[in-house]
Amino acid sequence: MSTSELVMEQARRIEADLIAIRRELHRFPELSFEESRTAAAVAAELTRLGLEPRTGVGGHGVVADLKGGREGPLIALRADMDALPVTEETGLPFSSEHPGVMHACGHDVHTSVLIGAVRILTEHRAELSGTVRFIFQSAEEILAGAKAMIEQGVMDRVDEIYGLHNLPSLPAGTVSVKPGVLMGSIDRLEIRIEGKGGHGGYPHACIDPIVAASAVVMALQTAVSREIPPTRGAVVTIGTIHAGTANNIIPDTVELTGTVRNLDNEWREKMPGVVERIVADTCKAYRCEAKVTYIRQVPPVMNDETCTRHVVEAADRLIGRENRFEPDPMTYGEDFAEYTEFANGCFFWLGSGPRSGADEAAGLHSPRFNPDESCIGLGAAMLAEITLHRLST
C-alpha cells in the first residue's frame, strides 16, 4: 500500500469520529474571540494525542508542534474556529443551541479537518523529517485572529503554511486550487455625510444628507464599472446606512459602512483615492460635507506557485486529476493572507456541496448552510498528505 493509499485509509477509519466532533462543535458555536469551549475541546484532543498545546494564543487560539524523527523544515497547518451571528434555519438534529449564533461558514468543519490531520500525522511521527505546527485560530470572521496569533509568534521559524476552506458550490469529493491570487483583499469603508436637519415638510430650509447618501451609493458603483479595468476584479458594496429618527424629520447626518474588495494589489492602492474623490464630489453637489475613513484589513490570498504544486500533486494522488479543478479568483476574503506575508503557502477550496446540484446549495453565511460532511475525511487526508510529502525522508 502506498503512503497516499494509507492516508486515505486512515482518513476513512476516523471519519465517523471527525463528523461527531464537527456536530458537537456545530451545536455550541462561539463568536469571534469567544471560542473558549471550542478551544478547550481542541486542546483536550491534542493532549490526548500526546502533544503539548499552547492555549490563549491571540485570543482563544490553540497551537501545538509535532516534531518528527529527524530535523527538517517547519510546515504549518491552519484552521479557523469561530462562528457567525446568524440564526440557524437548517432544522438539523444537531442545530445550534446558541440562539443567533451559527457555524454558517463551516469553521466547525475546518476545525474537525485539522483534528483529523493531527490524528493521521501523529501516527507517522517517526517518518517526518521536520516539524508540523497545528494552528487553530480564533476570530477569522472579524479578520483579527491571524494578526493576533502572528503577534504572539505563531509564524516564527515557519517555512511553509497550508490551509483550506470548504465551498458548498463545489461537490464533496473534489478540490479546487490555483497559483497566484485566489481571493481578494478586504478593506472597510466608513462614510459620514453631514447636512442640515429640519422639518421633512420644509426641505428647502434644510441640506438633506439622505439624498446625498443615496447619490453616493449609486456613484460609488462607477468606481468599479467606469474606473477599474474589468480584468482586474473589484467590488464596492455599501452594507449599512444609518440616519434619522422619524419619518418627517430630515437628519443632520448619515453614516454608511461598506466593504471594498480587490484582486489586484495595484488597484487596492488606488482605491482610497478613488472612493474619497467620488464621495467628496458627490456630496458637494448636494451641499453636504463628507468624511471618509478607509480601513485596510487584509491583503489578497496569494498562493505560492511551488506550494500550490504540492497541493495539486497531493489532490491528484488522493482523488485523481478528474476531481481537481482550477477556480476563478473570488472576491471573498480570508485572513489566511496574513500568514503568507511571513512564509510561502497555499490555500485551497475543499468541496462541501452535494454530489449533484452543488451550484444550487445554500452558500457560505446562509442560515441554511449544510455541508456534506464526507468532505471532512478528505480534508484531513489532504492536509496530512501534503505534509507527509513535504517532510518525507
Short mmCIF file of all heavy atoms in Angstrom, two decimals, residues 66-74 124-132 391-393:
data_model
loop_
_atom_site.label_atom_id
_atom_site.label_comp_id
_atom_site.label_asym_id
_atom_site.label_seq_id
_atom_site.Cartn_x
_atom_site.Cartn_y
_atom_site.Cartn_z
N LEU A 66 4.29 19.15 16.32
CA LEU A 66 4.58 17.73 16.25
C LEU A 66 5.97 17.59 15.64
O LEU A 66 6.17 17.89 14.46
CB LEU A 66 3.55 17.01 15.38
CG LEU A 66 3.81 15.53 15.08
CD1 LEU A 66 3.72 14.70 16.35
CD2 LEU A 66 2.84 15.01 14.02
N LYS A 67 6.92 17.17 16.45
CA LYS A 67 8.30 17.04 15.98
C LYS A 67 8.52 15.64 15.44
O LYS A 67 8.22 14.65 16.09
CB LYS A 67 9.27 17.34 17.12
CG LYS A 67 9.21 18.79 17.58
CD LYS A 67 10.25 19.09 18.64
CE LYS A 67 10.18 20.57 19.05
NZ LYS A 67 11.18 20.90 20.10
N GLY A 68 9.06 15.60 14.22
CA GLY A 68 9.32 14.32 13.59
C GLY A 68 10.55 13.63 14.12
O GLY A 68 11.24 14.13 15.02
N GLY A 69 10.86 12.48 13.52
CA GLY A 69 12.01 11.70 13.97
C GLY A 69 13.34 12.29 13.58
O GLY A 69 14.37 11.94 14.16
N ARG A 70 13.34 13.22 12.61
CA ARG A 70 14.58 13.85 12.14
C ARG A 70 14.35 15.34 11.97
O ARG A 70 13.23 15.82 11.90
CB ARG A 70 15.01 13.21 10.81
CG ARG A 70 15.57 11.79 10.96
CD ARG A 70 15.61 11.06 9.64
NE ARG A 70 14.25 10.77 9.16
CZ ARG A 70 13.53 9.74 9.58
NH1 ARG A 70 14.01 8.91 10.49
NH2 ARG A 70 12.32 9.53 9.11
N GLU A 71 15.46 16.07 11.87
CA GLU A 71 15.39 17.51 11.67
C GLU A 71 14.94 17.82 10.24
O GLU A 71 15.13 17.03 9.32
CB GLU A 71 16.75 18.16 11.93
CG GLU A 71 17.22 18.08 13.38
CD GLU A 71 16.27 18.79 14.32
OE1 GLU A 71 15.85 19.93 13.98
OE2 GLU A 71 15.91 18.21 15.36
N GLY A 72 14.34 18.99 10.07
CA GLY A 72 13.89 19.41 8.75
C GLY A 72 13.04 20.66 8.85
O GLY A 72 13.03 21.34 9.88
N PRO A 73 12.34 21.00 7.78
CA PRO A 73 11.54 22.24 7.75
C PRO A 73 10.39 22.22 8.75
O PRO A 73 10.03 21.17 9.31
CB PRO A 73 11.01 22.27 6.31
CG PRO A 73 11.80 21.27 5.55
CD PRO A 73 12.27 20.25 6.53
N LEU A 74 9.82 23.40 8.94
CA LEU A 74 8.62 23.53 9.78
C LEU A 74 7.45 23.88 8.87
O LEU A 74 7.43 24.94 8.24
CB LEU A 74 8.82 24.61 10.85
CG LEU A 74 7.85 24.58 12.04
CD1 LEU A 74 8.40 25.41 13.19
CD2 LEU A 74 6.46 25.11 11.68
N HIS A 124 2.43 8.98 12.02
CA HIS A 124 3.59 8.97 11.12
C HIS A 124 4.75 9.79 11.68
O HIS A 124 5.66 10.14 10.94
CB HIS A 124 3.19 9.53 9.75
CG HIS A 124 2.20 8.70 9.00
ND1 HIS A 124 2.57 7.72 8.12
CD2 HIS A 124 0.85 8.71 9.03
CE1 HIS A 124 1.49 7.15 7.60
NE2 HIS A 124 0.42 7.73 8.14
N ARG A 125 4.71 10.08 12.97
CA ARG A 125 5.70 10.97 13.57
C ARG A 125 7.13 10.54 13.23
O ARG A 125 7.96 11.36 12.84
CB ARG A 125 5.52 11.00 15.09
CG ARG A 125 6.51 11.92 15.80
CD ARG A 125 6.58 11.61 17.31
NE ARG A 125 5.34 11.91 17.98
CZ ARG A 125 5.15 13.02 18.72
NH1 ARG A 125 6.11 13.92 18.82
NH2 ARG A 125 4.01 13.20 19.34
N ALA A 126 7.43 9.27 13.36
CA ALA A 126 8.80 8.79 13.17
C ALA A 126 9.28 8.98 11.73
O ALA A 126 10.48 9.06 11.48
CB ALA A 126 8.90 7.32 13.57
N GLU A 127 8.35 9.08 10.78
CA GLU A 127 8.71 9.22 9.38
C GLU A 127 9.00 10.66 8.98
O GLU A 127 9.54 10.90 7.89
CB GLU A 127 7.57 8.69 8.50
CG GLU A 127 7.16 7.26 8.79
CD GLU A 127 5.82 6.93 8.18
OE1 GLU A 127 5.47 7.53 7.14
OE2 GLU A 127 5.09 6.10 8.75
N LEU A 128 8.65 11.61 9.83
CA LEU A 128 8.74 13.02 9.46
C LEU A 128 10.15 13.56 9.64
O LEU A 128 10.76 13.39 10.69
CB LEU A 128 7.77 13.84 10.30
CG LEU A 128 6.29 13.49 10.19
CD1 LEU A 128 5.47 14.32 11.16
CD2 LEU A 128 5.79 13.69 8.76
N SER A 129 10.64 14.22 8.62
CA SER A 129 11.92 14.94 8.72
C SER A 129 11.62 16.42 8.86
O SER A 129 11.69 17.19 7.89
CB SER A 129 12.78 14.68 7.47
OG SER A 129 13.12 13.32 7.38
N GLY A 130 11.25 16.81 10.04
CA GLY A 130 10.88 18.19 10.30
C GLY A 130 9.79 18.26 11.35
O GLY A 130 9.54 17.29 12.09
N THR A 131 9.11 19.39 11.39
CA THR A 131 8.10 19.66 12.41
C THR A 131 6.83 20.16 11.76
O THR A 131 6.86 20.90 10.78
CB THR A 131 8.61 20.73 13.41
OG1 THR A 131 9.80 20.24 14.04
CG2 THR A 131 7.58 21.06 14.47
N VAL A 132 5.69 19.74 12.31
CA VAL A 132 4.38 20.24 11.87
C VAL A 132 3.82 21.13 12.97
O VAL A 132 3.80 20.72 14.15
CB VAL A 132 3.39 19.10 11.59
CG1 VAL A 132 2.16 19.65 10.87
CG2 VAL A 132 4.04 17.99 10.79
N LEU A 391 7.64 16.56 4.19
CA LEU A 391 8.60 16.20 5.24
C LEU A 391 9.06 14.75 5.12
O LEU A 391 9.50 14.15 6.09
CB LEU A 391 7.98 16.43 6.63
CG LEU A 391 7.53 17.86 6.94
CD1 LEU A 391 6.97 17.96 8.36
CD2 LEU A 391 8.68 18.85 6.76
N SER A 392 8.92 14.20 3.92
CA SER A 392 9.37 12.82 3.73
C SER A 392 10.87 12.75 3.64
O SER A 392 11.54 13.70 3.22
CB SER A 392 8.74 12.23 2.46
OG SER A 392 9.18 12.97 1.32
N THR A 393 11.44 11.63 4.03
CA THR A 393 12.90 11.48 4.00
C THR A 393 13.39 11.26 2.59
O THR A 393 12.67 10.79 1.73
CB THR A 393 13.29 10.29 4.88
OG1 THR A 393 12.57 9.12 4.45
CG2 THR A 393 13.00 10.57 6.33
#
